[in-house]
Amino acid sequence: MTRQFKALMVREDNGIFNTKVEQISMAEIPKNEVLIKVAYSSVNYKDALSASGNKGVTRRFPHIPGIDAAGQVVSSTSENIAEGDKVIVTGYDLGMNTWGGFGEYVSVPANWVIKLPENLSLFEAMCLGTAGLTAGLSVYNLIHSGIGKEQGKIVVSGATGGVGSISIAIMSKLGYEVVAISGKEEDHFITQILGAGSIISRKDFVETYDQKAMSKADFSGGIDTVGGSILSGIIKSLKYNGAVTTCGNVASAEISTSIFPFILRGAKLLGIDSVEQPVEFKSEIWNLLAKEWKPTHLKDIVKEISIEQLSDVLTTLLEGNARGRYVVNHSL
Ligand SMILES: NC(=O)c1ccc[n+]([C@@H]2O[C@H](COP(=O)([O-])OP(=O)(O)OC[C@H]3O[C@@H](n4cnc5c(N)ncnc54)[C@H](OP(=O)(O)O)[C@@H]3O)[C@@H](O)[C@H]2O)c1
């Protein structure tokens, strides 16, 4: 086996955080049950927070971020996982305080490892990544709250971001009419590639739906990825017994709403966590993502990048300028 591997390392120097592609000795990888050679990783907002030194995500530096990894098992002490298995790891502590997928190797506990489902390649798995799993969990929760496509439009925020774009692609594939909320002028991407029926700007959405205690009941459901006044507006514009999922706080962690949408219209606010879900439930969602939920134009949602391009992409995400997903190919 190789003695060194390439990784994007984040080092702290007097409170300043620097990222650099480095050769790391294999001896430095912490020993866990399963060693994986990573073929692909993907870039998520949390990676940008980790790489910029956000201590809420990563406490210990030097650190290799990357909350997602897909690759082949090199060695395993678990009887359920064999050398050569193709696997996915997302969430738990990967890329937070455990070295993550921005390195060519990861070493993880066996109960973090998901076997790659049939009908999904390692590349496709990372086109989806944590964003895809989170989108899948959001769709799952909406459907299990009784939100059917015949009940009317659903609304998705952060439309050009990772979770938002894949959520739109899944819901439109399932036949739902999707209204996309976006801060960008990306008509072709949002309507033709993702399949949304229409787009509303962030500003217009907030002005239309977040001004009063309750607004016009226009949506049967929503998938919110940004929080703040957009999530408040979605809650206030749900139809009777509607539901909205919440997974992220790109805009704000605060929401402002009275209890009226909940007690007068039966609105439901559904929290989504993709990190600590039991591995069996993650597997169930991955199997749906591999088959009937696989976005039709998955490859058009992603940009493939090399490890050397990562630093710039992480900055793009922090600035809110992401467009779809970024997949790191460790062979480039
Ligand atoms: N709970 C979980 O398990 C979980 C898992 C994954 C992600 N997350 C969270 O979900 C959120 C989205 O993640 P992501 O990977 O999709 O991020 P992303 O790729 O960076 O996308 C975020 C999108 O939000 C929109 N946006 C940016 N700044 C905004 C602002 N100030 N106000 C309103 N909208 C804004 C942009 O889309 P438009 O320009 O199209 O509006 C942007 O592309 C993050 O907070 C992330 O931490 C949570």
Side-chain angles (χ1 to χ4, degrees):
M1 203 205 306
T2 172
R3 285 158 173 259
Q4 290 197 312
F5 69 101
K6 205 155 78 162
L8 184 81
M9 186 62 94
V10 185
R11 293 188 186 274
E12 181 175 9
D13 182 14
N14 280 329
I16 309 283
F17 294 87
N18 298 303
T19 54
K20 195 172 155 215
V21 176
E22 296 182 13
Q23 291 290 338
I24 313 292
S25 162
M26 282 304 281
E28 284 189 58
I29 282 207
K31 304 282 173 288
N32 266 310
E33 291 155 303
V34 185
L35 179 68
I36 300 163
K37 182 162 189 343
V38 182
Y40 299 97
S41 180
S42 79
V43 189
N44 295 277
Y45 190 71
K46 210 175 193 178
D47 300 318
L49 294 177
S50 169
S52 62
N54 185 308
K55 296 272 165 127
V57 178
T58 301
R59 291 184 308 279
R60 289 192 300 271
F61 293 88
H63 177 64
I64 302 170
I67 62 170
D68 291 342
Q72 224 161 348
V73 174
V74 177
S75 62
S76 165
T77 57
S78 160
E79 57 187 29
N80 298 323
I81 299 159
E83 186 184 331
D85 280 354
K86 289 186 175 169
V87 294
I88 306 170
V89 184
T90 70
Y92 305 117
D93 194 48
L94 189 72
M96 293 183 69
N97 290 292
T98 301
W99 282 2
F102 295 172
E104 290 174 296
Y105 287 85
V106 294
S107 175
V108 296
N111 63 0
W112 293 7
V113 177
I114 289 168
K115 296 244 176 88
L116 186 73
E118 272 176 35
N119 210 32
L120 198 69
S121 67
L122 290 172
F123 174 68
E124 288 173 327
M126 288 296 98
C127 293
L128 293 160
T130 284
L133 179 65
T134 309
L137 287 164
S138 305
V139 171
Y140 182 97
N141 274 274
L142 267 195
I143 292 174
H144 283 80
S145 288
I147 311 300
K149 58 186 168 204
E150 63 293 338
Q151 286 160 15
K153 298 175 195 166
I154 65 132
V155 63
V156 179
S157 64
T160 61
V163 182
S165 59
I166 297 173
S167 298
I168 295 173
I170 298 172
M171 291 308 267
S172 57
K173 185 177 183 191
L174 295 179
Y176 286 78
E177 184 178 346
V178 180
V179 176
I181 305 171
S182 181
K184 303 189 190 80
E185 306 217 344
E186 296 268 359
D187 294 21
H188 177 78
F189 179 66
I190 295 172
T191 57
Q192 303 305 305
I193 295 179
L194 302 179
S198 59
I199 306 170
I200 180 167
S201 75
R202 289 182 210 157
K203 185 168 165 286
D204 286 351
F205 186 84
V206 170
E207 283 174 7
T208 309
Y209 294 109
D210 191 36
Q211 301 305 317
K212 295 184 281 181
M214 295 219 284
S215 306
K216 194 159 165 273
D218 276 345
F219 307 106
S220 62
I223 294 179
D224 178 65
T225 68
V226 301
S229 49
I230 289 182
L231 176 54
S232 310
I234 298 177
I235 293 169
K236 294 167 188 175
S237 59
L238 288 175
K239 292 184 180 185
Y240 196 80
N241 274 343
V244 55
T245 62
T246 169
C247 73
N249 59 349
V250 179
S252 167
E254 308 292 322
I255 53 170
S256 166
T257 175
S258 68
I259 62 166
F260 293 123
F262 303 101
I263 65 170
L264 297 180
R265 287 191 187 149
K268 292 181 216 58
L269 182 57
L270 310 169
I272 303 296
D273 171 55
S274 65
V275 180
E276 296 293 340
Q277 294 297 338
V279 76
E280 298 77 17
F281 185 43
K282 284 189 183 179
S283 272
E284 185 183 335
I285 302 293
W286 275 109
N287 277 295
L288 288 162
L289 290 167
K291 298 188 182 94
E292 54 266 42
W293 290 5
K294 192 196 275 187
T296 313
H297 301 291
L298 187 56
K299 293 191 179 81
D300 298 325
I301 301 174
V302 303
K303 263 200 200 99
E304 210 173 331
I305 60 166
S306 67
I307 197 168
E308 282 78 16
Q309 292 170 287
L310 250 173
S311 281
D312 287 346
V313 168
L314 290 167
T315 307
T316 305
L317 254 77
L318 268 190
E319 291 170 348
N321 292 325
R323 181 184 174 283
R325 301 268 301 141
Y326 299 86
V327 171
V328 182
N329 180 344
H330 281 290
S331 308
L332 290 180

